[in-house]
Amino acid sequence: QQTIKVKIENQAAVLKKCIGEEIRCMKVWASEVKSGDLENMEARAAAFYWKNLFSIDGFTRDREGIPPNNLLNYGYAILRAVVARGLVSSGLLPTLGIHHHNRYNAYCLADDIMEPYRPYVDELVFNLVKEKGLPEDGLTKEWKAELLKIPVIDVVISEKRSPLMIAVSQTTASLYRCFCGESRKI
């Protein structure tokens, strides 16, 4: 519940920064997320988010879709690695997920915990596309170099600014404390 709520709030913040509009429905959906997201607020918010973030003809968020899906995929792979590293350094196994369950996926917990951080990747990709246009030659070394900045993107948690990789470490450490029964809030 906590991760999905924050993901939707972060998506709303990205829309405000990138398209300049306050998106009230996103805030309402975030506030209505229940444990297990039985009413599927995450999917509702995602459909709205992707429809409004990129004004590219024919764009839908799809792993095999048109650019900038390739940039998003690469960015999420970097983010997943950062989160998996943070989980392991906090003494957790990235394999045992909370929501994601798949015996062929060794990173189920990483996939769960990275959700609130995805909008940071989306914003970086949005700004790269705005500045450079869509990648015409695929995912070149230059595009990859730009996306390798993900671990040092500024993130604000509890009114403190830090690089994303440090914020992820704080998140995974707090998750560990939740699992130990020391805290209820990630």
Side-chain angles (χ1 to χ4, degrees), residues 1 3 35-36 87 92-101 107-113 175 178-179 186:
Q1 178 183 12
T3 58
S35 184
L87 288 166
L92 299 169
L93 292 172
T95 308
L96 305 174
I98 298 167
H99 178 71
H100 289 91
H101 303 284
Y107 299 100
C108 290
L109 187 56
D111 292 344
D112 289 328
I113 300 307
L175 178 64
C178 289
F179 286 153
I186 300 174

Side-chain angles (χ1 to χ4, degrees), residues 111-154:
D111 292 344
D112 289 328
I113 300 307
M114 71 186 263
E115 292 297 338
Y117 292 99
R118 284 179 184 265
Y120 291 98
V121 174
D122 305 340
E123 182 180 1
L124 176 65
V125 169
F126 177 89
N127 289 329
L128 287 171
V129 168
K130 185 177 176 184
E131 177 186 324
K132 300 174 180 273
L134 290 170
E136 295 176 18
D137 300 326
L139 198 55
T140 63
K141 193 162 63 170
E142 292 76 20
W143 282 101
K144 288 178 181 179
E146 292 290 340
L147 292 168
L148 283 170
K149 296 175 184 173
I150 289 168
V152 296
I153 291 173
D154 277 344

